[in-house]
């Protein structure tokens, strides 16, 4: 058997056409045969420069023959073996969407070992211009910077795994300049709008309790839809958030873990909400606190909830806010009413109180202004003595 050639070992020759060609060993097949990388140049000096760059690039690297695997096949494998065991079902579905609609469509046939940084840059430029498969009245076929960043996050993770699997020597998504993320301003219902919304839901016998509970707890959409009666402690007036509900492709409902570790939490309900749920429990014949109105053996569908919210807002003549903006509304009014950030962070299931403050700086700024006026008045009182 021939001696196994070490990675980085190379050779140089002049071809019949006058150009210079070199190759280095970058890995080995299962049989032990070397895998080569070839470079060429017009002159020997230019070739040696390229060859030395390649040697540095592949130093201490021993790629497998799977480096010729098409990127699309590697991404499918990465989704099943790496992503699926570690992320929530809804997150995995999002990853699949980015892989199928955006990455594989443009680079799926490219050998994973030949994917370059320029390939990645070209992909992102194309997605920014023509990334949408359907025309959007506001954005046309363009994808937002935020969406490009999420696609990049998926591809970056997959390529990191490819490095660990010895499919590539380095991650080609490193060092890519990404488009800026334009965050849409948070919308909340002000005092007058909130009062109007409460009037509208008061007349809705089916959905009143759901939206009243949401506005007094700030639960995430999947969290409130996934509540069971076993989560409600009537004696102590508390609610335990233990799961979240996701809608998968095809409308299948799946329960999963909360968004973060601190998402599992027990919150003390306002007396009015605790009383409302206690009364509701007496009349309930479902295990779900908020069941599907037509199929009470099933939980409320988040998609149905969202659609009904839009109907209520339109009926009330209010801005067409997102469901998550009800959570913002709760948090904003809580902070403005004097609830401290640490307590609010625990209610919302945020990992850190600093995140709560960063998220709602528009409120804390007003609070700081009022605080400065109080301190100013206090100092003026001292000075006039």
């Amino acid at each position: 058997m021939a001696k196994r050639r070490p990675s980085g070992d190379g050779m140089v020759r002049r071809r019949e056409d006058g150009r210079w060609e070199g190759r280095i060993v970058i890995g080995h097949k299962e049989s032990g045969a070397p895998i080569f990388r070839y470079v060429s140049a017009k002159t020997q000096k230019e070739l040696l420069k390229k060859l030395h760059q390649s040697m540095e690039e592949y130093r201490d690297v021993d790629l497998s023959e799977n480096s010729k695997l098409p990127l699309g096949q590697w991404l499918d494998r990465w989704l099943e073996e790496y992503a699926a065991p570690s992320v929530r079902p809804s997150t995995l579905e999002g990853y699949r969407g980015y892989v199928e609609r955006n990455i594989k469509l443009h680079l799926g046939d490219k050998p994973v070992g030949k994917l370059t940084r320029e390939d990645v840059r070209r992909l992102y430029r194309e997605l920014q211009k023509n990334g949408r498969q359907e025309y959007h009245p506001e954005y046309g076929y363009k994808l937002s910077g935020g969406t490009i960043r999420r696609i990049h996050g998926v591809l970056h993770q997959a390529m990191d795994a490819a490095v660990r699997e010895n499919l590539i020597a380095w991650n080609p998504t490193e060092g890519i300049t990404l488009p800026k993320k334009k965050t849409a301003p948070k919308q909340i219902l002000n005092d007058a709008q909130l009062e109007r919304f409460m009037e509208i839901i008061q007349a809705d016998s089916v959905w009143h309790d759901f939206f009243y509970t949401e506005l007094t707890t700030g639960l995430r959409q999947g969290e409130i839809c996934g509540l069971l009666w076993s989560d409600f402690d009537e004696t102590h007036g508390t609610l335990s958030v233990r799961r979240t509900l996701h809608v998968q492709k095809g409308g299948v409902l799946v329960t999963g873990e909360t968004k973060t570790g601190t998402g599992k939490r027990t919150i003390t309900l306002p007396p009015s909400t605790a009383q409302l749920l206690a009364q509701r429990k007496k009349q309930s014949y479902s295990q779900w606190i908020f069941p599907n109105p037509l199929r009470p053996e099933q939980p409320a569908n988040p998609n149905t909830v969202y659609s009904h919210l839009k109907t209520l807002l339109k009926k009330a003549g209010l801005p067409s806010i997102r469901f998550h903006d009800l959570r913002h509304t709760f948090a904003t009014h809580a902070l403005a009413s004097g609830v401290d950030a640490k307590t609010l962070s625990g209610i919302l299931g945020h990992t850190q109180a600093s995140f709560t403050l960063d998220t709602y700086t528009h409120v804390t700024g007003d609070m700081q202004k009022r605080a400065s006026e109080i301190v100013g008045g206090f100092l003026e009182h001292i000075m006039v003595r």
Side-chain angles (χ1 to χ4, degrees):
M1 177 182 285
K3 183 178 179 182
R4 182 183 176 101
R5 299 185 64 178
S7 294
D9 189 24
M11 63 167 289
V12 173
R13 71 181 182 93
R14 190 173 188 178
R15 302 190 315 205
E16 292 183 0
D17 62 3
R19 290 180 63 84
W20 286 82
E21 181 182 75
R23 71 182 188 186
I24 63 169
V25 178
I26 61 174
H28 296 85
K29 300 177 182 179
E30 289 186 6
S31 64
I35 299 173
F36 295 106
R37 175 178 174 81
Y38 294 87
V39 292
S40 63
K42 292 182 179 180
T43 66
Q44 185 179 23
K45 183 178 180 180
E46 185 182 351
L47 175 69
L48 290 174
K49 183 179 178 180
K50 286 185 176 181
L51 208 56
H52 286 140
Q53 288 176 342
S54 292
M55 286 179 177
E56 281 298 315
E57 185 178 321
Y58 289 93
R59 184 185 298 277
D60 300 324
V61 172
D62 190 14
L63 302 186
S64 73
E65 55 190 318
N66 284 335
S67 60
K68 296 181 180 179
L69 192 72
L71 177 62
Q73 290 185 31
W74 165 247
L75 290 173
D76 289 340
R77 178 181 158 190
W78 173 78
L79 284 169
E80 296 304 321
E81 296 181 12
Y82 287 84
S86 59
V87 300
R88 296 182 301 161
S90 61
T91 303
L92 184 63
E93 283 300 306
Y95 285 4
R96 288 191 195 282
Y98 293 140
V99 166
E100 295 294 335
R101 293 191 303 269
N102 305 117
I103 304 174
K104 287 172 68 172
L105 189 64
H106 297 275
L107 294 173
D109 294 331
K110 182 97 175 182
V112 65
K114 292 187 177 181
L115 186 69
T116 66
R117 190 173 283 123
E118 184 52 38
D119 290 329
V120 177
R121 290 195 184 101
R122 193 161 41 243
L123 169 67
Y124 295 167
R125 287 197 296 268
E126 176 60 25
L127 292 179
Q128 275 189 282
K129 295 178 182 177
N130 300 295
R132 289 181 184 271
Q133 295 182 339
E134 296 182 4
Y135 182 81
H136 189 281
E138 183 177 353
Y139 304 109
Y141 290 101
K142 298 179 180 179
L143 280 184
S144 68
T147 302
I148 298 294
R149 284 174 169 269
R150 288 191 289 274
I151 293 169
H152 172 78
V154 171
L155 185 56
H156 181 80
Q157 289 183 65
M159 292 299 98
D160 262 353
V163 172
R164 295 193 296 273
E165 290 284 345
N166 291 323
L167 302 185
I168 54 178
W170 52 276
N171 190 332
T173 67
E174 295 284 358
I176 300 291
T177 300
L178 298 172
K180 292 182 179 179
K181 179 182 178 181
K182 296 180 180 179
T183 305
K186 295 177 179 63
Q187 299 185 77
I188 65 164
L189 299 176
N190 60 32
D191 290 346
Q193 292 171 331
L194 188 55
E195 184 176 347
R196 175 60 181 154
F197 187 72
M198 297 298 280
E199 289 175 359
I200 289 297
I201 66 171
Q202 190 68 42
D204 192 327
S205 59
V206 176
W207 290 100
H208 169 268
D209 294 358
F210 179 93
F211 286 106
Y212 186 91
T213 302
E214 172 58 31
L215 286 168
T216 55
T217 60
L219 295 176
R220 298 180 178 94
Q221 185 175 5
E223 292 174 344
I224 189 170
C225 289
L227 289 173
L228 295 167
W229 281 118
S230 57
D231 301 323
F232 175 53
D233 185 336
E234 184 177 348
T235 304
H236 297 95
T238 62
L239 195 61
S240 294
V241 183
R242 299 185 174 119
R243 71 196 67 79
T244 189
L245 195 68
H246 308 288
V247 183
Q248 288 191 327
K249 194 173 182 179
V252 179
L253 296 179
V254 177
T255 55
E257 296 290 325
T258 53
K259 186 174 182 181
T260 63
T262 50
K264 285 188 176 182
R265 60 202 186 275
T266 298
I267 60 176
T268 300
L269 296 169
S272 60
T273 308
Q275 183 178 355
L276 178 149
L277 292 182
Q279 188 62 36
R280 181 181 180 83
K281 186 177 182 180
K282 294 177 182 177
Q283 305 168 357
S284 177
Y285 49 92
S286 171
Q287 64 172 331
W288 304 98
I289 294 182
F290 300 110
N292 183 321
L294 301 178
R295 297 180 178 179
E297 72 279 4
Q298 297 181 7
N301 188 308
N303 290 344
T304 303
V305 168
Y306 184 83
S307 296
H308 196 69
L309 169 64
K310 294 295 184 179
T311 300
L312 291 171
L313 291 168
K314 186 175 181 180
K315 186 182 295 186
L318 296 172
S320 184
I321 63 175
R322 307 164 304 163
F323 187 92
H324 204 70
D325 289 324
L326 296 181
R327 178 173 164 87
H328 292 321
T329 296
F330 163 79
T332 299
H333 285 281
L335 277 177
S337 300
V339 176
D340 66 275
K342 181 67 175 177
T343 300
L344 181 59
S345 176
I347 295 172
L348 294 174
H350 286 165
T351 305
Q352 295 180 330
S354 59
F355 176 80
T356 306
L357 285 173
D358 288 342
T359 305
Y360 300 103
T361 50
H362 59 291
V363 179
T364 57
D366 293 339
M367 294 168 67
Q368 289 171 359
K369 182 179 179 181
R370 289 199 297 272
S372 67
E373 292 171 351
I374 293 172
V375 172
F378 172 71
L379 291 176
E380 288 174 5
H381 177 69
I382 292 177
M383 293 294 287
V384 297
R385 283 184 177 180

